Amino acid sequence: MSETVVSLEREKRFIGSPLKTKEALRHVRGMGKFVDDIKLPGMLHAAIARSQLAHAKIKRIDFSKARALPGVVDILTPEDVVRMSDPLPQMTVPPASNVRDYPVAVGKVRYVGEPIAVVAAETRAIAEDAVELIEVEYEPLPAVVDAEKALTDPPALVHEEVGSNIMAHVQYSYGNIDKAMKEADRIIKVRLHFHRFSSTPLEPNAVLASYDRSENMLTVWCNNQEPSFMLPQFNSALRLPYNRMRFITQDIGGGFGCKITNYVYVILISLASMKVGRPVKWVETRTEHMLASSHGAERIFNVEVPVKNDGTVLGLKILSIDDDGAFARHEPAGLTVWAQVVPGAYRIKHVYSDMYAVFTNKCPAGPNRGFARAPHSFMIERVMDIVARELNLDPAYVRMKNYITREEMPYTTPNGCVYDDGDYPKSLSIVLDALNYTELRKKQRELWKEGRYIGIGIATTLDSGAPNFGQVKMLNPRLPLVGNAEACMLQLTPDGRFVVRLGTVPQGQSHETVTSQIIAEIFDVPVELVDVATGFDTMTHPYTMHSGTYGSRYAAMGVGAAYGAAQKLRAKVLRIASHILNEDQSFLALSNGSVVSTRDSSKSISLKRLSRIAYGMPSMLPRDTEPGLIVVNFYYNGLVEPDERKIANLALTYSYQTHGVVGELDPETGKFKITKYVIVDDAGRIINPLVVDGQVHGAAAHGIAAALFEEFRYDENGQLLSSTFVDYLSPHSVDLPDLEVHHLEIPSPFSPLGAKGVGEGGGTAHVAVINAINDALSPFGVMLEKSIATPEEIFRLVAKKSGLPL
Amino acid sequence: MGIKIILNINSKRYSVDIEPWETLNHVIREKIGLTGTKKGCETGGCGSCTVVVDGKAVYSCMMLAFQASGKDILTVEGRDNDVLLAAIRKGFMEMGGLQCGYCTPGFIMSAYALLSMNPKPSREEIKEAFVGNLCRCTGYVKIFESVERASQIISGDKRE
């Protein structure tokens, strides 16, 4: 690894402090700036005409009535899009990559909500009215809505040019699964269905594109989470070189991965602006978001688990199918990203995985909090419980039996991932103590006699952070991405203040605050002297092709870039101070906004005076030192591409979390009420506990929501049945339990400050709750296959078993 | 068919030309230019657009602008020297009651309506007051703590 943990020479003032966030200061006054808050002169408003059907040929589109509506300026049609742009680059391999993917439907619609055309009008209301006047004549085709049938018995092909509905097919073999199957006392079969949901950020997708014909310059305000990663897409689709496109983000109202694939809308609205020659703003409606932004992929697992009778899990033989919807627009990356956490928290040595991704007539899938690792972790944590049930062992015992221990850290997994550090058994012990587990189990059995059904669920998952892009080469060797790198530009201004510009693109993770804490710490200045530019801008911020905020990467990557920049700038400051003060550098220290000699207190210079000299009086600088105090630093996490056996370290940090849930099931209503919730989280060294706790709470809330409430349900015709908050049921304040949070703080030996990425939370809560519900269901001898347990589903399971009328 | 109405927002009078079908949210954001009030669903399902009208928290996306004519409207931008609003802002900042900030204006407005009626709410009362507001970042815990902190501040209590 390129850097090791630093020890700061003095007591820390800012790192580790629950500093109020700089972002909060503006948000509590309503002064945040989001895309929809910007107005440009001459700006038009866009509305998008969308498919009403899941799968159909487009026979005819009549725009005449829409064009005639007063206030309509222009319409971007499918013909315009094909003429003005090139198809979007595909992540997958042939033949699936033969798909000609445009941001609008061309000739055929493939999911409900797929864009067909964009109306640009003087007002949003006029644009929406015009959309209603566009007449589309369809020839309906059978809808592909079942992933397994899409593969084995397809009612239709989503893309004829592919020849099947297979988006990708990969096989990974780690260890020796055949040997594990032979050595096993038993082989336990598990079938699971990880359902379709998303974190539905409150700020919808939004784009304001402004194309200047005279300059051939496109400027876009958007809320994409990684605009620089998307530059090849923009370049190809818009036919503009990188220096003729400028992408700006400001405040982003939540992302959670859902705002990665909105690059398609960035392209679409940019094309509209390029066609009309005026700025065009589009803000997604909530229903558009539910129908046609990004859903987390479904994954169906059929797993064989070789085990010993003592509870040792020897291996996993996985056959899985991902339902990735109508287009491969980031997927099928999910077929490789799970491999960051192949054995979960366990000493599982043999893993064989045969994985398909299929096209269906549903919203294209994309990343969602815990991308690809959450479904895999869900499977492993369900397997642990099912193994315990089959062997008549306690689920906590089975985990303790299989956990990788602290003594084995850093631990190399069968596919070469290096778990940095952690104490999984201890995290579970803390949870068990907090639950008073042994007593609780006794009480649970007593309550069964009274017809009361308590469920206890535990789970440990890993939240791998700062991922290695080389992992996509396991799927598509031609993709030109490896490792992970991030950039930071740091300036000490001539008045002794600091300006920071990052490549990261925060959506609520308080990067302005945390970065200021690091800079303030290293220069020993008040945090108020450090300004971190809000958001991201390809014109003024440094970046890499990995820049952005996703994959729990800031704590290693953003911090690494900022920390390195601070070290570079500090070195220059000390060099200049040494020259001016005529003092040996080894006796100089930064203290309270000045550089001071540790042996002669008369030798001291304030940062303010030093920086005035650096910018204004170059003759006073040492001969080999350039004027100015601006540094740019790139931090690389040191990860390399997988070898031919698909072995490599796929992430830099591996934070983990163990959750414990207790709840009571009402068999008459199917309702499961959580009565106690305990979390143990290890994010390594914590820079700001307020921020880390916020991430831990938020991840838990998303997991609980996915387990109990949220699902994108489609009917057999491919119509989405949950397209508003009223039927999608994101939880409100009264729907979530109180959370008891404990921290382990075991630093990562690999990340620059020992912090581990923490944003995603690994989906622990999701599976912990499902485990608790299945535990409560155990007296009925039934088990959920799906990863969502609505009261209806629970009621049906119980009633079916009890022979009750449904 | 435009109509002219007077809106009293944050103790300032705004004379605006509106269409009868325009929502209060649209007029506040687009015609008056107070963009602190957000919109997250425009169908009364998320609470990002909450403002206080005559002391009650309402969805500004569900109220037509003309219905608010002559009423006393408070938005997150607030009015000068509003002690309660200052306490709520302080509570949210100190306790980390926000992340992305998009739902925050709505929560602050709901908190305002709650605390002006009930300065010392219980945790359960706080939860009930927020049933109309969605937050996707925080899991609500720190929002509850923020309101409790604001309640302490207005009661003149020292920090525990």
Side-chain angles (χ1 to χ4, degrees):
Chain A
M1 298 306 137
S2 52
E3 292 194 57
T4 51
V5 179
V6 292
S7 58
L8 294 156
E9 59 271 23
R10 55 165 193 280
E11 181 127 343
K12 291 178 287 298
R13 288 172 63 193
F14 302 110
I15 292 179
S17 156
L19 208 70
K20 284 184 279 189
T21 68
K22 285 172 174 273
E23 292 86 346
L25 200 63
R26 61 175 177 272
H27 288 308
V28 297
R29 289 172 173 75
M31 303 308 281
K33 275 285 169 281
F34 298 86
V35 177
D36 194 18
D37 299 336
I38 310 164
K39 273 184 186 171
L40 293 180
M43 183 176 85
L44 299 174
H45 297 264
I48 298 175
R50 294 177 181 275
S51 172
Q52 313 263 330
L53 297 178
H55 198 193
K57 282 186 186 154
I58 298 174
K59 294 182 72 179
R60 188 181 60 88
I61 311 177
D62 186 349
F63 294 106
S64 57
K65 285 182 190 155
R67 284 194 193 283
L69 188 72
V72 170
V73 175
D74 207 342
I75 298 176
L76 184 78
T77 68
E79 289 70 28
D80 292 329
V81 172
V82 171
R83 177 177 49 81
M84 295 171 67
S85 74
D86 291 312
L88 304 168
Q90 300 293 293
M91 186 164 299
T92 190
V93 291
S97 58
N98 295 340
V99 168
R100 291 178 69 76
D101 179 10
Y102 286 100
V104 290
V106 178
K108 182 166 128 163
V109 292
R110 293 181 175 85
Y111 62 98
V112 173
E114 183 173 10
I116 293 175
V118 182
V119 176
E122 296 294 346
T123 69
R124 171 69 178 261
I126 294 169
E128 285 182 3
D129 285 350
V131 160
E132 297 295 313
L133 297 173
I134 296 173
E135 291 172 4
V136 186
E137 193 182 326
Y138 297 104
E139 180 185 317
L141 296 166
V144 182
V145 291
D146 180 308
E148 286 174 306
K149 279 192 188 146
L151 190 63
T152 56
D153 182 21
L157 293 182
V158 179
H159 299 278
E160 287 77 8
E161 58 271 47
V162 177
S164 77
N165 286 322
I166 299 174
M167 184 185 288
H169 178 206
V170 294
Q171 285 159 316
Y172 304 131
S173 183
Y174 300 122
N176 185 341
I177 193 68
D178 294 335
K179 182 166 162 272
M181 300 293 257
K182 275 192 205 115
E183 286 173 1
D185 293 329
R186 287 182 60 178
I187 292 168
I188 294 168
K189 292 188 179 180
V190 178
R191 182 181 160 85
L192 297 166
H193 185 167
F194 191 83
H195 74 290
R196 188 174 264 257
F197 60 94
S198 116
S199 300
T200 61
L202 272 193
E203 182 206 21
N205 290 314
V207 184
L208 169 54
S210 178
Y211 177 68
D212 181 336
R213 273 184 191 148
S214 62
E215 303 280 343
N216 187 32
M217 181 74 202
L218 175 72
T219 305
V220 179
W221 288 262
C222 65
N223 50 20
N224 186 276
Q225 293 178 225
E226 44 176 38
S228 66
F229 175 79
M230 295 300 173
L231 283 169
Q233 261 79 357
F234 297 141
N235 166 249
S236 167
L238 298 169
R239 299 175 182 156
L240 288 170
Y242 289 18
N243 63 355
R244 295 286 94 193
M245 303 185 288
R246 178 179 185 184
F247 298 94
I248 303 167
T249 70
Q250 305 178 105
D251 285 309
I252 296 180
F256 317 116
C258 312
K259 283 177 177 157
I260 287 176
T261 53
N262 71 15
Y263 71 89
V264 179
Y265 289 111
V266 172
I267 291 166
L268 189 60
I269 302 306
S270 296
L271 290 171
S273 175
M274 290 165 83
K275 188 179 181 205
V276 299
R278 287 170 66 175
V280 178
K281 186 202 273 186
W282 170 74
V283 181
E284 186 180 55
T285 67
R286 182 51 53 185
T287 292
E288 286 184 302
H289 183 82
M290 302 308 219
L291 282 171
S293 60
S294 180
H295 296 172
E298 286 169 72
R299 182 172 286 178
I300 297 163
F301 291 97
N302 283 290
V303 190
E304 292 177 75
V305 190
V307 294
K308 289 287 194 187
N309 283 333
D310 67 358
T312 306
V313 177
L314 300 173
L316 297 165
K317 188 174 184 182
I318 306 160
L319 171 64
S320 69
I321 303 172
D322 282 15
D323 177 343
D324 283 341
F327 290 97
R329 286 178 181 165
H330 188 284
E331 296 291 2
L335 294 194
T336 72
V337 171
W338 68 276
Q340 293 169 18
V341 294
V342 165
Y346 307 102
R347 215 181 293 101
I348 301 172
K349 300 282 191 191
H350 310 284
V351 178
Y352 173 81
S353 195
D354 186 3
M355 310 183 81
Y356 288 87
V358 297
F359 291 110
T360 59
N361 293 117
K362 299 181 189 170
C363 174
N368 188 57
R369 199 170 199 160
F371 176 50
R373 293 96 86 217
H376 183 72
S377 304
F378 178 86
M379 180 272 289
I380 290 182
E381 288 302 310
R382 284 297 300 132
V383 161
M384 287 295 152
D385 265 32
I386 292 167
V387 165
R389 191 145 149 179
E390 292 285 326
L391 298 177
N392 204 19
L393 297 168
D394 187 279
Y397 172 85
V398 171
R399 283 179 174 79
M400 286 294 190
K401 182 101 194 155
N402 289 284
Y403 275 139
I404 297 158
T405 61
R406 180 87 199 269
E407 290 68 39
E408 295 168 271
M409 295 287 174
Y411 179 85
T412 303
T413 68
N415 67 322
C417 290
V418 184
Y419 290 175
D420 44 358
D421 202 354
D423 195 337
Y424 312 148
K426 189 173 177 186
S427 70
L428 179 58
S429 296
I430 296 170
V431 166
L432 297 180
D433 285 348
L435 295 180
N436 199 4
Y437 188 73
T438 313
E439 283 304 307
L440 190 63
R441 281 287 179 206
K442 277 186 205 151
K443 191 177 158 200
Q444 179 187 35
R445 280 172 175 73
E446 283 161 19
L447 287 172
W448 280 348
K449 292 173 200 154
E450 297 172 25
R452 288 181 60 191
Y453 302 95
I454 302 292
I456 307 163
I458 48 177
T460 303
T461 69
L462 279 78
D463 181 2
S464 46
N468 177 1
F469 273 76
Q471 69 196 13
V472 293
K473 287 180 173 288
M474 291 157 54
L475 172 83
N476 182 352
R478 296 183 59 183
L479 290 173
L481 288 163
V482 173
N484 204 321
E486 189 50 278
C488 173
M489 187 164 89
L490 174 64
Q491 177 177 20
L492 178 54
T493 57
D495 62 350
R497 288 164 180 262
F498 293 85
V499 174
V500 190
R501 294 178 210 282
L502 288 163
T504 62
V505 185
Q507 315 112 36
Q509 298 88 347
S510 307
H511 294 184
E512 293 170 42
T513 306
V514 178
T515 309
S516 322
Q517 289 178 259
I518 293 162
I519 305 301
E521 190 73 62
I522 288 169
F523 287 92
D524 198 30
V525 293
V527 80
E528 291 75 21
L529 290 192
V530 186
D531 274 328
V532 180
T534 299
F536 175 72
D537 183 339
T538 53
M539 187 74 94
T540 58
H541 289 226
Y543 61 82
T544 71
M545 302 306 283
H546 315 112
S547 286
T549 289
Y550 57 86
S552 298
R553 71 190 284 282
Y554 170 81
M557 305 308 304
V559 167
Y563 177 69
Q567 294 292 12
K568 277 187 189 171
L569 187 63
R570 182 177 181 274
K572 186 168 181 181
V573 163
L574 290 180
R575 202 162 60 237
I576 295 171
S578 165
H579 182 76
I580 295 170
L581 298 174
N582 194 22
E583 176 62 292
D584 193 290
Q585 269 196 56
S586 58
F587 293 104
L588 290 179
L590 282 152
S591 174
N592 213 5
S594 293
V595 184
V596 293
S597 166
T598 52
R599 61 176 177 182
D600 177 357
S601 59
S602 73
K603 289 186 170 180
S604 153
I605 182 169
S606 70
L607 289 176
K608 189 170 174 176
R609 184 165 144 65
L610 186 145
S611 55
R612 273 304 285 266
I613 291 170
Y615 289 93
M617 292 176 265
S619 62
M620 287 180 69
L621 299 176
R623 210 161 269 204
D624 58 350
T625 301
E626 285 177 21
L629 287 169
I630 300 179
V631 299
V632 179
N633 182 59
F634 288 82
Y635 169 71
Y636 162 45
N637 70 358
L639 303 181
V640 299
E641 69 183 271
D643 65 16
E644 67 285 352
R645 296 166 303 155
K646 295 176 175 153
I647 287 179
N649 189 11
L650 299 180
L652 187 68
T653 64
Y654 295 84
S655 66
Y656 58 95
Q657 38 287 131
T658 297
H659 290 203
V661 191
V662 185
E664 183 163 0
L665 182 84
D666 180 346
E668 287 185 14
T669 61
K671 188 172 163 64
F672 182 76
K673 185 173 167 50
I674 296 172
T675 51
K676 190 166 175 71
Y677 204 104
V678 181
I679 296 173
V680 175
D681 192 278
D682 180 359
R685 191 201 292 208
I686 294 174
I687 302 172
N688 186 328
L690 211 57
V691 173
V692 169
D693 274 343
Q695 293 295 324
V696 170
H697 292 162
H702 280 186
I704 296 165
L708 297 177
F709 306 113
E710 298 180 351
E711 181 176 23
F712 289 120
R713 276 175 288 113
Y714 282 88
D715 73 7
E716 68 277 12
N717 300 314
Q719 289 290 343
L720 183 63
L721 303 176
S722 43
S723 64
T724 70
F725 276 136
V726 177
D727 34 31
Y728 184 73
L729 301 178
S730 293
H732 288 83
S733 50
V734 292
D735 300 320
L736 293 171
D738 293 333
L739 305 171
E740 177 185 326
V741 181
H742 304 256
H743 288 287
L744 285 170
E745 202 173 337
I746 301 174
S748 171
F750 304 143
S751 74
L753 286 176
K756 301 171 188 166
V758 70
E760 295 176 275
T764 339
H766 187 175
V767 65
V769 172
I770 293 293
N771 280 345
I773 293 170
N774 278 300
D775 187 48
L777 284 169
S778 61
F780 299 92
V782 293
M783 202 151 55
L784 288 157
E785 184 178 298
K786 271 181 89 170
S787 56
I788 180 163
T790 59
E792 182 185 348
E793 184 66 25
I794 293 172
F795 177 78
R796 279 177 186 279
L797 269 177
V798 172
K800 204 168 150 188
K801 192 70 183 180
S802 325
L804 292 173
L806 286 172
Chain B
M1 268 290 284
I3 51 173
K4 189 179 277 293
I5 59 166
I6 304 287
L7 289 177
N8 299 314
I9 305 177
N10 305 330
S11 302
K12 291 193 182 105
R13 280 166 58 86
Y14 296 90
S15 168
V16 277
D17 291 314
I18 63 156
E19 300 292 335
W21 43 264
E22 282 174 339
T23 64
L24 180 60
N25 183 267
H26 180 81
V27 172
I28 288 174
R29 285 183 53 81
E30 305 297 329
K31 298 207 161 163
I32 293 171
L34 292 171
T35 56
T37 303
K38 298 299 169 201
K39 57 180 205 245
C41 72
E42 296 178 90
T43 50
C46 77
S48 314
C49 66
T50 306
V51 297
V52 177
V53 178
D54 284 348
K56 289 194 175 124
V58 302
Y59 290 147
S60 65
C61 77
M62 292 278 96
M63 182 180 242
L64 293 171
F66 77 82
Q67 293 176 295
S69 174
K71 296 192 159 81
D72 179 32
I73 303 162
L74 182 74
T75 71
V76 68
E77 287 89 351
R79 46 195 160 223
D80 297 339
N81 309 318
D82 187 326
V83 177
L84 176 55
L85 187 57
I88 296 170
R89 286 171 173 163
K90 196 156 185 269
F92 273 76
M93 284 194 285
E94 284 185 4
M95 305 312 289
L98 63 116
Q99 290 178 31
C100 79
Y102 202 78
C103 72
T104 311
F107 272 93
I108 287 180
M109 288 296 99
S110 288
Y112 192 97
L114 169 69
L115 292 176
S116 46
M117 297 294 290
N118 179 1
K120 287 194 172 180
S122 67
R123 178 62 71 97
E124 287 311 307
E125 286 168 332
I126 294 170
K127 285 187 182 182
E128 284 296 329
F130 287 139
V131 286
N133 294 80
L134 272 180
C135 169
R136 300 259 46 196
C137 294
T138 63
Y140 302 105
V141 180
K142 287 182 179 294
I143 294 178
F144 303 150
E145 291 170 0
S146 301
V147 177
E148 285 160 354
R149 177 72 191 124
S151 170
Q152 278 178 4
I153 295 168
I154 52 174
S155 314
D157 293 358
K158 291 276 178 288
R159 188 156 191 186
E160 284 163 5

